[in-house]
């Protein structure tokens, strides 16, 4: 999707190329689906969405894992946080495709839009009820998601008129999501300084701009 960081970018020293979703992350995503959407057809549909993300590869959970380990973290909740990162990005990718009307081969674009919207609402409800609480970063997640939506709004309404408008839009749309992935990683590390968080947030914005331009 247009929000996504390029799968060709290097993460934590990995070779460029699509990065397979960690098996633990996939299992955690499926567990969450069983918890929040236990009945058919939404259960089957959401698992199909996860399989699609698994097949195309994703770096989002790796960003969370990388930042956590880079700062010396060793939390037993890391894989859960990484799964929540993928969960939130999946939700926004689906919304992005619905808005743009592209990527017709994606499973969420092949079914009734009303059904896809219900799947999105399940993803949102689960993140509202658990992800923010468990990660302990509810205010930060809410703010970053809102900023990304504001960037998407500027994009879909063609509000960009100048170079400054473009960079502001991209920082919100893409940079905010990389900040979110980083935040999910460093929130589980004790005593991360404000200076370190500020440096990571600035790096995330630069990465978001670079990825969006490449996209």
């Amino acid at each position: 999707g247009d929000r996504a960081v390029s799968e060709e970018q290097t993460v934590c020293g990995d070779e460029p190329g699509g990065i397979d979703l960690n098996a633990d992350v996939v299992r955690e995503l499926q567990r969450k689906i069983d918890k929040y959407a236990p009945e058919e057809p939404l259960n089957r549909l959401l698992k199909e969405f996860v399989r699609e993300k698994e097949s195309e590869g994703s770096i989002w959970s790796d960003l969370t894992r990388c930042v956590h380990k880079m700062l010396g973290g060793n939390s037993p909740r890391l894989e859960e946080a990484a799964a929540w990162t993928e969960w939130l990005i999946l939700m926004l990718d689906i919304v992005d495709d619905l808005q743009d009307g592209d990527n017709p081969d994606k499973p969420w674009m092949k079914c009734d839009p009303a059904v896809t919207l219900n799947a999105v609402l399940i993803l949102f409800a689960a993140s509202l009820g658990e992800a923010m609480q468990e990660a302990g970063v509810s205010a930060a997640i809410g703010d970053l998601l809102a900023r990304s939506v504001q960037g998407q709004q500027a994009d879909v309404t063609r509000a960009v008129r100048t170079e400054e408008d473009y960079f502001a839009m991209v920082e919100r749309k893409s940079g905010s999501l990389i900040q979110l992935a980083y935040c999910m990683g460093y929130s589980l590390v004790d005593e991360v300084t404000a200076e370190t968080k500020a440096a990571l947030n600035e790096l995330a914005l630069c990465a978001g701009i670079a990825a969006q331009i490449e996209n």
Side-chain angles (χ1 to χ4, degrees):
D2 292 338
R3 292 177 181 271
V5 176
S6 170
E7 307 301 349
E8 296 178 355
Q9 296 194 25
T10 301
V11 180
C12 282
D14 290 334
E15 291 299 318
I19 300 176
D20 293 337
L21 276 178
N22 181 285
D24 291 335
V25 168
V26 173
R27 282 192 293 269
E28 183 64 26
L29 290 170
Q30 292 174 341
R31 185 192 68 80
K32 295 180 190 305
I33 291 170
D34 287 338
K35 178 178 179 180
Y36 289 99
E39 298 181 359
E40 299 293 352
L42 281 177
N43 183 281
R44 181 178 67 255
L45 193 64
L46 284 164
K47 287 181 178 178
E48 185 180 356
F49 294 174
V50 169
R51 284 193 296 271
E52 174 67 23
K53 297 301 289 184
E54 186 180 8
S55 68
E56 69 184 24
S58 175
I59 70 168
W60 292 99
S61 53
D62 288 271
L63 292 177
T64 293
R65 193 180 294 107
C66 177
V67 166
H68 182 81
K69 293 182 177 180
M70 180 180 69
L71 297 175
N74 191 29
S75 173
R77 296 164 55 200
L78 177 57
E79 294 307 322
E80 182 180 4
W84 278 121
T85 299
E86 293 289 351
W87 184 276
L88 293 166
I89 297 301
L90 172 59
M91 177 182 71
L92 293 176
D93 278 349
I94 294 171
V95 171
D96 185 90
D97 286 345
L98 287 173
Q99 289 176 331
D100 293 345
D102 55 8
N103 290 324
D105 293 332
K106 298 297 182 182
W108 48 84
M109 297 299 290
K110 291 181 178 180
C111 56
D112 186 331
V115 175
T116 298
L117 181 57
N118 280 334
V120 170
L121 290 173
I122 290 288
L123 293 169
F124 177 74
S127 62
L128 186 66
E130 187 175 334
M132 298 182 183
Q133 177 182 352
E134 289 297 322
V137 287
S138 58
I141 292 177
D143 178 65
L144 291 169
L145 287 175
R147 284 178 55 81
S148 180
V149 171
Q150 291 166 10
Q152 178 72 353
Q153 174 71 5
D155 190 9
V156 300
T157 60
R158 303 185 184 278
V160 173
R161 293 290 181 270
T162 66
E163 183 176 300
E164 290 76 15
D165 291 341
Y166 176 79
F167 280 109
M169 180 271 289
V170 170
E171 280 191 355
R172 290 174 179 165
K173 180 177 176 178
S174 299
S176 295
L177 296 184
I178 301 180
Q179 286 180 329
L180 186 151
Y182 288 2
C183 181
M184 294 296 283
Y186 68 63
S187 66
L188 298 177
V189 181
D190 294 332
E191 300 179 356
V192 179
T193 66
E195 291 78 10
T196 296
K197 292 179 182 179
L200 286 168
N201 286 335
E202 183 175 358
L203 175 62
L205 293 181
C206 293
I209 291 172
Q212 191 68 47
I213 290 174
E214 181 180 8
N215 194 359

